[in-house]
Amino acid sequence: MLPPEERLPQIRELIAGKHYFIIHAPRQIGKTTLIRNLSRSLTAEGKYAALTISLESFMEGEPESVMPQLLKGLWSDAKYAFPAELQPPKVGEFVDDPLIALREYLFAWSGSIRLPVVLFLDEADSVTGPVLLSILRQLRDGYTARPKPFPQSVALVGLKDVRDYKIQVRPDTETLGTSSPFNIKVESLTMGNFGREEVARLLHQHTEETGQRFEPDAMEEIFHQTGGQPWLVNALANQLTTHYSAIVKDRAVPVTREHVLTAKEILIERRDT
Ligand SMILES: Nc1ncnc2c1ncn2[C@@H]1O[C@H](COP(=O)(O)OP(=O)(O)OP(=O)(O)O)[C@@H](O)[C@H]1O
Ligand SMILES: [Mg+2]
């Protein structure tokens, strides 16, 4: 695996600068890998209480029913991510008023621990328009109330850019009314495919671990066939060398361009997603 943070070097600066921001990129680019890895590092370094939660399980329902589930999800993920002194309060009475529950809960959590909270909301665009709007409104309210304790940074992570979020809300429902869903200045970052160099580095890792080489034109063919798409590069390399039906299992045999073309055909046959 390539060091995920290097793919978005600005991200630590945004957090240090107390920004709220968006990370958007196509499927299987490495968003989740990056933010989960970064959350763990930030927490382990002892500077922040950083957590990634996925909104994917809250796809259905109205804010009134989703918000309590969301708080419970956050609480339960936090239990595993943090030592006792950094954990958020029990959900308890916070859910009594679901439309401000998230805001109040984040106030309470941020105010009760000694480190700033950093929150990554993954799969942000999987929730319905009204739920997303409610989340955004509560985050905005909390943000504008700072320096009252509230998360230092929040990132919404998904497929769409900030400006597209508005579209998900039906025309007859309320929107936040600006191009920014937070109604505050928000940075928007994106991630792209691996470049030739990164593909080569990833393949070199395999060589370092196993001794098995990739011939230069094999590397070039892998880059050419995958366009550097992170999932595809891994899938192709896996089919070549580590899958149970890998075509070059013998570590003494270097991977050639021919092998790559054969592996590509097998992958197409397998039609994994
Ligand atoms: N840093 C990395 N180094 C090498 N491969 C990576 C890296 N990050 C991601 N990948 C590859 O890309 C795949 C997809 O990663 P991930 O699930 O993080 O993407 P995603 O953008 O969150 O996808 P989705 O939009 O479907 O949620 C991984 O299974 C892995 O094969
Ligand atoms: Mg993901």
Side-chain angles (χ1 to χ4, degrees):
M1 187 164 95
L2 296 176
E5 262 187 69
E6 287 180 15
R7 303 183 63 200
L8 224 48
Q10 324 86 303
I11 197 168
R12 275 184 182 257
E13 248 170 76
L14 285 176
I15 293 168
K18 306 186 175 176
H19 288 276
Y20 279 34
F21 56 98
I22 310 278
I23 302 172
H24 69 98
R27 282 261 164 246
Q28 295 293 305
I29 283 278
K31 303 180 290 298
T32 301
T33 306
L34 169 68
I35 58 179
R36 290 202 173 270
N37 200 281
L38 182 62
S39 302
R40 273 194 300 272
S41 305
L42 291 173
T43 301
E45 290 161 17
K47 245 188 117 183
Y48 301 103
L51 182 68
T52 295
I53 61 167
S54 172
L55 302 185
E56 201 182 12
S57 4
F58 311 111
M59 272 161 59
E60 312 252 314
E62 292 297 306
E64 289 78 0
S65 59
V66 169
M67 287 302 160
Q69 298 169 34
L70 179 59
L71 260 56
K72 284 173 198 152
L74 200 165
W75 178 79
S76 112
D77 288 355
K79 253 177 61 158
Y80 290 99
F82 301 122
E85 70 270 19
L86 294 181
Q87 282 173 18
K90 289 236 168 66
V91 170
E93 74 271 20
F94 289 101
V95 296
D96 290 349
D97 192 346
L99 297 184
I100 56 166
L102 180 64
R103 185 190 74 193
E104 294 305 308
Y105 192 65
L106 293 177
F107 276 139
W109 183 23
S110 304
S112 68
I113 64 171
R114 71 191 155 77
L115 295 179
V117 170
V118 173
L119 197 57
F120 296 92
L121 301 178
D122 199 7
E123 308 277 351
D125 36 19
S126 64
V127 296
T128 62
V131 170
L132 185 60
L133 200 64
S134 176
I135 292 173
L136 294 174
R137 188 184 292 112
Q138 296 183 65
L139 290 174
R140 183 199 57 191
D141 290 352
Y143 176 96
T144 48
R146 297 192 301 182
K148 188 174 169 186
F150 205 64
Q152 154 143 356
S153 267
V154 176
L156 292 179
V157 183
L159 304 176
K160 298 204 183 94
D161 191 2
V162 40
R163 283 161 289 266
D164 299 327
Y165 279 121
K166 237 177 27 167
I167 299 166
Q168 294 191 330
V169 182
R170 283 170 283 129
D172 57 326
T173 60
E174 193 187 351
T175 73
L176 288 173
T178 66
S179 61
S180 153
F182 294 126
N183 208 9
I184 52 180
K185 194 175 174 310
V186 166
E187 305 280 340
S188 166
L189 310 176
T190 190
M191 300 170 70
N193 289 339
F194 292 145
R196 191 178 260 105
E197 191 73 23
E198 287 171 303
V199 171
R201 268 172 71 200
L202 192 61
L203 298 173
H204 272 304
Q205 288 181 349
H206 172 79
T207 306
E208 272 165 24
E209 280 162 24
T210 65
Q212 185 174 34
R213 291 190 308 108
F214 288 83
E215 291 190 346
D217 58 355
M219 290 203 199
E220 184 56 33
E221 194 61 37
I222 291 172
F223 179 67
H224 176 70
Q225 292 294 340
T226 60
Q229 205 289 328
W231 183 88
L232 269 180
V233 174
N234 281 284
L236 192 53
N238 180 42
Q239 183 63 58
L240 281 160
T241 61
T242 50
H243 193 261
Y244 66 87
S245 66
I247 53 180
V248 213
K249 279 186 171 160
D250 184 351
R251 299 304 187 215
V253 178
V255 177
T256 66
R257 179 168 175 271
E258 281 309 310
H259 290 139
V260 175
L261 294 172
T262 311
K264 179 200 81 173
E265 293 304 325
I266 297 173
L267 262 193
I268 292 171
E269 287 290 310
R270 270 173 43 193
R271 285 164 169 274
D272 295 4
T273 47

